[in-house]
Amino acid sequence: MSAQMLAVLAVAVVVAAFVQGSSGLGFALIVAPVAGFIDPGLVPVFVLASMIPLNLYVAWRERTSLDLRGAGWITGARLAATPAGLALLWLIPEHSLGLFVGVATVLAAVVSLAAPTFAPGRAAYVGAGAVTGLTETASGVGGPPLALVYQHRPPAELRSTVAACFLVGEVASLLLLFATGKAAPTELGQAALLLPAIALGAWLSRLVHHRLDARRMRLFVLVFALVSGVVLMLGG
């Protein structure tokens, strides 16, 4: 990766960490298309590994707002669906991974934009967890189903619960990817290299997360996801 491409990726990571730390979603929607365009080999390991320290921080920062019941159902379904996500990754040729990430990103954003207001129940939690396990393991993108479930809940509850669910799922996905040979320890070095960018974005989010207009930020993330996903599809 050239210095210019690394700089572009670092900027994307800072913005994505700020957006997710502030609104509760957006990291993978921003980073996965950019990473896939720079080097499809960065997906999904780089995206998954980069999100672990960010979600650990957000979950701890707002731990008092965590929805334990919803998180339990989501995490159970997400872990159950992780092997299916791995199988999907095995079936996708490497040269088509960028196209798959683009399609997954666009579909996720469209569903998030079009979804009506609803009160989540057990079925919604399980469904969101299963879809997240499938798409996040294969592409690194898994936030929109969880955002749909919590989009009408208090922002702190959304941020903390989504972060906690992501944290468990990302660790599980990475362990499975490593155990099956779809990831190598050297790939973690790229995420470690950009830890300062993640920390900067997370620190900036700390300054504004309690007074940010979450609806406008969510709209920005989803519009960005649509545009970047289309670009990635055309490039694939």
Side-chain angles (χ1 to χ4, degrees):
M1 190 188 308
S2 67
Q4 291 85 351
M5 291 295 99
L6 183 61
V8 169
L9 188 58
V11 170
V13 167
V14 171
V15 172
F18 168 75
V19 169
Q20 178 139 338
S22 303
S23 68
L25 74 152
F27 188 93
L29 284 173
I30 293 173
V31 172
V34 175
F37 184 77
I38 292 173
D39 179 5
L42 292 170
V43 180
V45 175
F46 171 78
V47 180
L48 291 170
S50 297
M51 291 180 70
I52 288 176
L54 174 63
N55 285 317
L56 181 62
Y57 165 71
V58 174
W60 175 257
R61 185 185 69 192
E62 302 191 64
R63 59 193 179 279
T64 58
S65 299
L66 178 65
D67 173 20
L68 289 173
R69 175 178 175 271
W73 284 110
I74 289 168
T75 299
R78 194 248 186 265
L79 293 176
T82 296
L86 178 66
L88 188 60
L89 189 59
W90 277 102
L91 294 173
I92 301 170
E94 187 172 345
H95 65 273
S96 300
L97 190 57
L99 177 62
F100 174 78
V101 174
V103 171
T105 303
V106 169
L107 288 178
V110 169
V111 170
S112 296
L113 285 168
T117 302
F118 70 98
R122 183 168 61 184
Y125 294 137
V126 171
V131 174
T132 297
L134 180 68
T135 61
E136 190 177 33
T137 302
S139 69
V141 178
L146 303 186
L148 284 175
V149 171
Y150 284 98
Q151 63 181 311
H152 303 296
R153 302 297 300 160
E157 183 179 321
L158 183 154
R159 287 191 296 263
S160 60
T161 309
V162 169
C165 293
F166 271 154
L167 185 59
V168 176
E170 286 148 8
V171 172
S173 292
L174 283 173
L175 289 175
L176 192 57
L177 289 168
F178 282 122
T180 56
K182 291 298 289 182
T186 53
E187 295 182 72
L188 297 179
Q190 295 157 327
L193 188 63
L194 290 178
L195 275 175
I198 297 169
L200 176 59
W203 178 79
L204 291 172
S205 76
R206 177 177 174 272
L207 303 178
V208 301
H209 75 276
H210 53 286
R211 57 175 180 268
L212 193 69
D213 186 331
R215 269 190 285 183
R216 288 184 181 179
M217 179 63 79
R218 174 177 172 271
L219 183 62
F220 165 78
V221 171
L222 296 177
V223 170
F224 180 93
L226 282 170
V227 174
S228 57
V230 169
V231 170
L232 194 55
M233 288 165 60
L234 294 176

